[in-house]
Amino acid sequence: VLCRSHALYRRSVNTWSAVGAAFNVQHQRFEHLQKNVGLFGVPELSGPAGFQMAQHQALREAEFLVHKACTHPPGAVTVETFDQLSDSLCRVADLADFIKVAHPDAAFREAAERTCVEIGTVVEILNTNVDLCQSLKNLLGNEAVLATLDSDTRRVAELFMFDFEISGIHLDYSKRSKAVALNVKLLDLYHVFLSGSQLPNAIDKQVLPEHIRHCFSIDGNRVQIGGLHADSPNELVREAAYKIFLYPNTSLLLCLDELLACRHELATLVGYESFAHRALKGTMAKTPETVMKFLKLLTEKLSDRTSKDFKMMKEMKKKTHTTNPEVMPWDHAYLSSAIRTEMFNIDPSIYSPYFSLGACMEGLNCLFTQLLGVYFQAEQPKMGELWSEDVRKLAVVHETEGVLGYIYCDFFRRPDKPHQDCHFTIRGGRLRDDGVYQLPVVVLMLSLPPPSGRTPSLLTPSMVENLFHEMGHAMHSMLGRTHYQHVTGTRCSTDFAEVPSILMEYFASDYRVLRQFARHYQTGEPLPENLVSRLCESKRVCSAADTQLQIFYAALDQVYHGKPQYRSTTDILREMQEKFYGLPYVNDTAWQLRFSHLVGYGAKYYSYLMSRAVASMVWRQCFLQDPFSRVMGERYRREMLAHGGSKEPVLMVQGMLQKTPTIEDFVDALVLDLNANVKSSV
C-alpha cells in the first residue's frame, strides 16, 4: 500500500509532499519583520546574553522547588517536585549542551558552554544536599505512603535516590567529602583523557620512507599522524600510521590509570564491588558477570565464522604482493573492504540518485504512518528559532492524539559543524501540574551533502542507514508518554537505548520498505531489487570478524572497570586482544589511549551488541513477516517506546517478545543474523 504522498511523487518526479519538498529545496524563507522568538522559541535566547538570563531563571525556580521538596510531607508530590526540579535545570542545560557544539556563532557557543558548567556545578551541589536527600528517604522509608504510589512513581523515586547514592550522600561527612572530591577530579581526568585521545602523534620525517611522507601532514621536519589511515591501499602507510598513532604517551597512560583508579575508589566508597557493578545497575545485563558470559558465549559461537573471515583476509593479502603474509591489526578494515569490493563492487554513487533526502523523509513518513499512525508535518520556523537557516522543523502528529512533539533536523554539512550523527534531547516530555503534557523537543544532527541548484541532497546507502538509525532515537523520544521527564524517551538504560535506533536499520535494509520511496530523482525509476540484495549481502562480508573486534573492545572495557588488576592497561590490552580478537598485539602500541568511549561508555561498551541482539529478535519475530504491521507497530509503541526509562528494560523486552529472553537467545540472534545473510548470498 502506498502512502498518499508517495502516490503524488510517483505521478511526477518533481511533485513532492510538503515533507519531501522541505528537504529537497535549498532555502526556506523567513519573515524578517517578525519578532525574534529566541532559539527553540525560548524568548531569552534571542542573543548570547540570554543564556545568563535563562540560567538565572532556572536557578531561582530550582531554589523554590528544593524548599518545596524539603518541607512537603512525603507522597507522590515529592517525586513530582524532584522531577520539576530536574526539568527546570535540564531544559536549560540540555539546550546549552547542544548549542555549545552546533551554533555557528562563537559567542553563542561560549555562552552555552559557561551555562553548562554553571548548571553542572549546581547539580553536583544538589546531589550532595542532605536535606533534599532526606525528603526522598522519608518517602522511600514510609511503607504506607509507598503503597499509594504507582509503579512508575516508585521507580523514578528509586532512580533519584540512586543519583544521590552515587554522590556518596549516605556516607559520613569525611567520606562524602571524599566522594565529592573524586567526582570533581574525575571531571578533570575525563577532559584530559578525551583531549589527549584526539591529539596527533608527531615523528621526525626522516624516520619515514620518502615515498609515503606525502600521505601524512608535514609540519617542518616533523610528520603529524592524526589517525590510523585504515583504508589506505598502501600497506606501509597503514603500518606506519598504526605504530605511530598508537605509540604510547606516558602522561596519558598515567591519566588513564588514575581515571580507572578513581572510578574504582568512588564505586567502592559508595558500596559497590567495582565501577562495572555500579555502572550496570538498572541495565538489561545487570552485572559484569552477565556481560562477560554474553561476550564469551558470542565468541565461542562465532569462532568458526571468525576464523573463515581471517582466512579470507589472508588470501586477499597474498594478492596484494605483501612482504608480510600475516594479517595484522592495521589490515582488518582495508582487507575486509577489498574482499567486499571484489565480491560485490558496491559503488555508492549508483545508489545515491535513488535516495534523495526528500524521498527518504517521505519514506520514513509512510513507514511511521502505517506502523504507528503518526506522520510528519513540515513547520514554518519563526525568526530566531533556528541556529542555522538550513535546519528544518517537523511536528510529529498522531492521527487521533494530535501533536506528539517536535524534531529539528540539522542535517546538512556546514563549516565548523561537528561531523557526527547524533540525537539531542532539548526538552523532555512530562505531565505538567495543569494536566497538559509538555511536548518533547529533539534535534537530529547528521552530516549530509546540502542540495545545490536543481540537485537535491543525495544520500549514500550508509547515510540512509544513519538517517533511519537516528530517526529511531527521535521516535523513541516522540512516542514516549512518561509522567516524568527524568525517564523520558531515550533516558533509559544504555543497553536498551540503542534498540529502537538499531531496529530502524533493519527497516532501512528491507526492499519492501525501500521500494515505497527509493526512486531516481530525475527519471522516477524505482531502485532495482537486485541492487538492494547485493548491498545487504556485501554488508555481511567479514561481519563475524568485525563483530569479534567489537567483542574485544567490550571485554577490554569490562576488565578495565572490574576489580583492580595491579598491572598496566597495556598488559591487560595484550591479554584481551589474544583472548577475544584473533589478530596479534603489536609491541609499543597502546590502542586503549584512543578508546575515547571509555569516558562516556565506561563499563557499558557492550551495550551496542546487546541492543543489536534485542533489535534482531524484535525484527525477526514481529516485523520480518510484515514490516508495515499496524498490530505489531502498536505493540511496539505500547510495550517498548511509551515507557522511556520508567520501566525495567527487561520487562519491556518481555512485553514485546512475549517471552523472557536469555543470554543464549541474545547470542543466537546475533549469530542467526550473520548466518541468514550468508545463506542468502550463496
Side-chain angles (χ1 to χ4, degrees):
V1 179
L2 292 175
C3 292
R4 196 182 310 122
S5 64
H6 185 64
L8 270 177
Y9 176 46
R10 196 171 53 160
R11 268 204 314 276
S12 166
V13 181
N14 296 317
T15 304
W16 299 95
S17 73
V19 171
F23 290 90
N24 270 5
V25 294
Q26 213 161 354
H27 291 296
Q28 47 195 348
R29 284 183 300 175
F30 294 92
E31 293 294 333
H32 287 283
L33 297 176
Q34 281 181 351
K35 181 187 171 192
N36 188 322
V37 299
L39 290 168
F40 296 102
V42 177
E44 294 86 355
L45 300 182
S46 56
F51 274 102
Q52 193 69 34
M53 293 158 61
Q55 176 189 315
H56 181 66
Q57 198 174 314
L59 295 181
R60 270 177 46 204
E61 195 178 337
E63 209 173 300
F64 165 76
L65 291 166
V66 168
H67 177 74
K68 181 179 175 182
C70 292
T71 54
H72 205 281
V77 70
T78 309
V79 183
E80 281 158 13
T81 306
F82 266 81
D83 194 63
Q84 284 173 25
L85 173 59
S86 172
D87 183 56
S88 66
L89 296 172
C90 284
R91 266 182 304 164
V92 179
D94 289 344
L95 193 156
D97 210 34
F98 169 70
I99 291 299
K100 76 177 185 184
V101 297
H103 206 292
D105 185 338
F108 268 100
R109 292 198 304 270
E110 287 159 15
E113 176 71 61
R114 286 193 294 274
T115 292
C116 285
V117 172
E118 292 292 330
I119 301 269
T121 305
V122 170
V123 169
E124 285 297 318
I125 292 166
L126 288 175
N127 281 343
T128 55
N129 183 319
V130 178
D131 293 338
L132 192 59
C133 179
Q134 191 57 50
S135 69
L136 203 55
K137 273 185 180 172
N138 293 344
L139 170 67
L140 290 169
N142 189 324
E143 288 298 329
V145 176
L146 271 183
T148 67
L149 304 182
D150 61 58
S151 59
D152 284 7
T153 303
R154 286 183 70 151
R155 178 165 166 81
V156 171
E158 287 161 3
L159 289 170
F160 276 122
M161 182 54 78
F162 179 54
D163 291 341
F164 276 122
E165 287 172 354
I166 281 174
S167 300
I169 196 137
H170 55 295
L171 305 172
D172 61 41
Y173 178 76
S174 66
K175 285 182 178 174
R176 193 162 69 243
S177 301
K178 178 70 176 168
V180 171
L182 284 167
N183 273 314
V184 170
K185 188 177 181 181
L186 276 168
L187 286 175
D188 188 42
L189 289 167
Y190 295 160
H191 177 72
V192 173
F193 184 76
L194 284 174
S195 302
S197 70
Q198 307 301 322
L199 288 176
N201 272 345
I203 193 167
D204 192 287
K205 71 178 182 185
Q206 301 304 322
V207 175
L208 286 180
E210 194 171 347
H211 69 282
I212 66 166
R213 289 176 200 166
H214 71 280
C215 298
F216 307 108
S217 174
I218 298 174
D219 182 11
N221 287 322
R222 307 281 282 170
V223 173
Q224 297 271 355
I225 297 184
L228 291 171
H229 292 255
D231 297 326
S232 172
N234 187 318
E235 184 185 359
L236 194 55
V237 169
R238 298 196 305 273
E239 180 179 353
Y242 189 93
K243 289 179 173 176
I244 297 165
F245 187 61
L246 299 184
Y247 190 78
N249 175 312
T250 308
S251 63
L252 208 56
L253 281 169
L254 290 171
C255 172
L256 179 58
D257 285 342
E258 202 171 355
L259 189 158
L260 296 174
C262 280
R263 278 180 164 174
H264 182 73
E265 187 178 356
L266 182 60
T268 53
L269 191 64
V270 298
Y272 291 91
E273 204 176 317
S274 70
F275 181 83
H277 284 87
R278 195 199 87 176
L280 295 176
K281 184 175 177 180
T283 62
M284 277 198 293
K286 291 190 165 57
T287 68
E289 292 77 18
T290 305
V291 174
M292 288 308 290
K293 180 185 175 184
F294 171 61
L295 298 175
K296 285 175 181 174
L297 190 57
L298 186 52
T299 298
E300 284 170 27
K301 289 281 183 85
L302 286 179
S303 62
D304 287 348
R305 282 287 317 281
T306 306
S307 299
K308 284 177 188 169
D309 285 355
F310 284 130
K311 192 177 175 184
M312 281 170 63
M313 289 185 200
K314 193 168 183 175
E315 292 301 314
M316 177 55 75
K317 194 169 182 184
K318 281 181 190 171
K319 296 178 187 176
T320 64
H321 309 294
T322 177
T323 51
N324 176 5
E326 293 306 312
V327 179
M328 300 300 288
W330 54 78
D331 294 322
H332 183 141
Y334 172 73
L335 292 177
S336 59
S337 174
I339 296 166
R340 213 170 287 125
T341 302
E342 184 177 84
M343 290 173 71
F344 298 101
N345 195 22
I346 300 295
D347 179 358
S349 68
I350 294 171
Y351 291 81
S352 294
Y354 297 95
F355 291 130
S356 73
L357 176 58
C360 293
M361 293 304 293
E362 287 190 353
L364 283 161
N365 202 20
C366 288
L367 179 62
F368 293 142
T369 301
Q370 291 167 89
L371 269 184
L372 299 157
V374 302
Y375 59 91
F376 298 143
Q377 194 167 281
E379 295 272 302
Q380 179 63 42
K382 295 187 172 68
M383 188 68 185
E385 188 177 352
L386 308 179
W387 51 100
S388 177
E389 66 174 15
D390 60 2
V391 175
R392 306 291 188 260
K393 181 184 179 184
L394 297 177
V396 178
V397 187
H398 189 274
E399 58 195 20
T400 59
E401 297 168 35
V403 177
L404 297 179
Y406 297 95
I407 303 172
Y408 288 84
C409 302
D410 188 353
F411 284 172
F412 303 117
R413 295 172 192 148
R414 59 177 178 269
D416 298 328
K417 178 182 168 184
H419 285 282
Q420 59 191 57
D421 296 343
C422 45
H423 162 276
F424 292 86
T425 297
I426 303 299
R427 184 177 74 196
R430 73 181 181 97
L431 190 62
R432 296 193 326 218
D433 284 348
D434 58 7
V436 175
Y437 199 79
Q438 175 175 291
L439 298 179
V441 176
V442 304
V443 173
L444 291 191
M445 183 191 274
L446 301 174
S447 298
L448 304 180
S452 60
R454 299 187 67 179
T455 307
S457 176
L458 300 177
L459 279 57
T460 64
S462 64
M463 289 174 185
V464 175
E465 187 175 275
N466 289 350
L467 171 64
F468 272 63
H469 179 101
E470 296 304 332
M471 197 56 78
H473 285 308
M475 296 311 286
H476 196 180
S477 293
M478 294 297 107
L479 290 163
R481 273 301 174 266
T482 52
H483 188 124
Y484 302 102
Q485 71 80 40
H486 191 62
V487 288
T488 185
T490 56
R491 288 176 183 162
C492 54
S493 79
T494 312
D495 57 5
F496 181 79
E498 289 295 326
V499 173
S501 53
I502 294 172
L503 180 61
M504 285 302 296
E505 294 176 21
Y506 288 87
F507 286 95
S509 298
D510 191 287
Y511 185 68
R512 292 165 296 177
V513 175
L514 294 176
R515 73 182 176 194
Q516 286 210 326
F517 69 88
R519 293 177 178 268
H520 198 286
Y521 78 101
Q522 289 171 315
T523 67
E525 175 203 352
L527 176 66
E529 187 171 2
N530 72 308
L531 283 183
V532 178
S533 304
R534 289 175 67 239
L535 180 66
C536 291
E537 288 161 17
S538 76
K539 286 180 186 174
R540 299 326 188 270
V541 172
C542 296
S543 55
D546 293 344
T547 303
Q548 197 57 53
L549 181 59
Q550 294 302 312
I551 294 169
F552 157 50
Y553 295 160
L556 182 67
D557 173 45
Q558 285 300 307
V559 175
Y560 278 167
H561 290 103
K563 293 173 188 171
Q565 297 277 315
Y566 304 109
R567 55 192 174 130
S568 75
T569 54
T570 304
D571 284 344
I572 296 169
L573 173 85
R574 184 195 299 265
E575 185 194 324
M576 290 296 105
Q577 188 160 335
E578 285 170 7
K579 201 179 282 188
F580 286 100
Y581 187 17
L583 296 183
Y585 167 77
V586 179
N587 287 331
D588 293 322
T589 63
W591 180 84
Q592 72 272 25
L593 300 183
R594 303 296 182 180
F595 194 10
S596 56
H597 285 83
L598 286 173
V599 171
Y601 287 82
K604 294 181 181 180
Y605 192 83
Y606 76 92
S607 295
Y608 187 79
L609 285 168
M610 194 165 278
S611 288
R612 181 164 287 284
V614 173
S616 172
M617 293 171 79
V618 171
W619 169 258
R620 202 176 299 280
Q621 190 176 312
C622 306
F623 296 109
L624 179 59
Q625 191 175 346
D626 177 8
F628 310 107
S629 167
R630 185 63 178 269
V631 172
M632 286 301 171
E634 292 293 351
R635 188 205 286 183
Y636 179 46
R637 181 186 182 186
R638 184 177 65 249
E639 298 293 346
M640 291 184 92
L641 297 179
H643 305 288
S646 66
K647 197 171 177 181
E648 284 274 349
V650 170
L651 296 178
M652 291 190 272
V653 176
Q654 280 174 6
M656 189 66 201
L657 298 175
Q658 298 187 338
K659 69 170 189 177
T660 305
T662 63
I663 289 298
E664 288 76 12
D665 290 331
F666 290 160
V667 168
D668 289 344
L670 291 171
V671 174
L672 196 58
D673 257 11
L674 299 181
N675 289 341
N677 283 287
V678 166
K679 285 170 190 165
S680 71
S681 67
V682 172

